[in-house]
Amino acid sequence: MAYLTVSAASIRKAHLIAGLGALLLAASPALAQQAAPAAGDAAAPAAADATAPAAGDAAKAAAVNWVKICEKVQIPDPAAKDPKTAKPVDHGFCVTQQERLDGNSGTILVAVAVREDDGQDKKGLLITVPTSVIIPAGVHIFFDDEKDEKKVIGLPFQACLPSGCTAQAEATPDVLAQMGKAKVMTVVGVNIQGQQVPLRIQMNGFATVMAGKPVDTAAYVNARKKMIMAIQEKIIARQQAARDAAGEAAKGLVDDPAAAKGAATAKADGAAPPDPTAKTGN
């Protein structure tokens, strides 16, 4: 994938990009609560889990991957002559997204979203990846098994939050058409070791969900909380199991006075404690 080589020009361009703009996570407190993707390297709770209206078999199949959320936020009146004295007005937007978590750690793997704002013809494509990436490299995306370098799309990073770094570009009609017909989107970032890291997003049902009605936000947030709690409980259970194992190992040393004495001496000398199960020679 030589077309992902980062040029000096692209680095300069990435450094010139600034501002949060239409970033998904900064736009709404309600959506910020949903920043983390779903458990087990799988899609976040989607339409079927959030009591969204179904639209036939295609929507049911897509429900496991994509979800559409619509929100209203207060922004200064863009029509006001003086922004400093502008009164707040409602601004609506919708996001069609798929988010994924590492079920073993709860950290973000990848999130893809298309944002539509009331009164604006242009749509935004936002992709969030873990923070352990080289910022100037941005991310690149392609669809299915694309081999044409000219069809690879580059997105510069706009900002990094604790939940991940977000890249953004315009979701043009051509890009949306590709997203609608593709089976897989591959998102490629560059980690801090300089290695390209491909992340795959299943595209089934994207167009159907985006064209359909949004889910019930409250139900979706509730389903999300349950999923995040399940991840946290699994992490806590693993940590407890590790502590229990360490406790059992320590108990075995205490039950064996010779081993305990050897462990204490080794600790004082800065050496590793002896293996109580090791056989000794004559």
Side-chain angles (χ1 to χ4, degrees):
M1 296 175 65
Y3 48 77
L4 289 177
T5 301
V6 182
S7 66
S10 65
I11 291 176
R12 288 194 298 270
K13 180 180 178 182
H15 279 303
L16 290 174
I17 300 296
L20 295 179
L23 282 179
L24 168 66
L25 302 181
S28 164
L31 287 182
Q33 294 173 6
Q34 304 161 19
D41 186 14
D49 298 310
T51 64
D57 293 339
K60 292 178 182 178
V64 298
N65 290 331
W66 294 92
V67 63
K68 181 176 181 179
I69 304 167
C70 293
E71 287 283 309
K72 284 188 180 294
V73 294
Q74 292 267 300
I75 65 171
D77 187 352
K81 294 182 179 180
D82 185 356
K84 295 180 180 180
T85 59
K87 294 182 179 179
V89 295
D90 285 337
H91 175 74
F93 66 95
C94 292
V95 175
T96 301
Q97 64 184 20
Q98 181 179 159
E99 301 173 301
R100 307 179 73 88
L101 276 186
D102 180 350
N104 293 320
S105 65
T107 58
I108 189 173
L109 291 176
V110 62
V112 175
V114 173
R115 174 168 169 149
E116 306 169 87
D117 284 79
D118 289 352
Q120 296 184 20
D121 294 331
K122 292 184 178 180
K123 300 175 176 61
L125 174 62
L126 302 99
I127 297 178
T128 302
V129 295
T131 55
S132 55
V133 290
I134 296 177
I135 302 300
V139 297
H140 291 76
I141 64 172
F142 62 91
F143 300 96
D144 295 329
D145 297 321
E146 184 60 64
K147 303 299 182 183
D148 188 350
E149 295 184 12
K150 295 181 180 178
K151 294 184 179 181
V152 176
I153 302 169
L155 294 85
F157 285 115
Q158 297 290 302
C160 288
L161 300 173
S163 56
C165 291
T166 299
Q168 181 180 340
E170 181 185 352
T172 64
D174 178 62
V175 169
L176 292 175
Q178 292 186 70
M179 293 178 70
K181 67 182 181 181
K183 294 181 179 179
V184 175
M185 173 196 288
T186 300
V187 177
V188 183
V190 181
N191 65 20
I192 56 178
Q193 286 79 35
Q195 301 168 327
Q196 296 173 8
V197 181
L199 300 162
R200 291 163 65 87
I201 289 285
Q202 298 299 319
M203 298 303 298
N204 58 297
F206 164 76
T208 303
V209 172
M210 185 172 175
K213 296 180 180 180
V215 300
D216 179 278
T217 302
Y220 180 74
V221 170
N222 186 54
R224 245 180 185 293
K225 287 181 179 179
K226 289 181 179 180
M227 188 165 285
I228 298 300
M229 287 177 64
I231 295 176
Q232 293 173 342
E233 289 173 358
K234 184 162 64 171
I235 293 172
I236 292 172
R238 285 203 308 268
Q239 293 173 342
Q240 185 60 50
R243 287 194 293 268
D244 291 344
E248 288 298 319
K251 181 179 179 182
L253 289 175
V254 171
D255 291 342
D256 184 344
K261 183 178 180 180
T265 302
K267 183 176 181 181
D269 295 337
D275 182 356
T277 63
K279 294 182 179 180
T280 56
N282 293 325

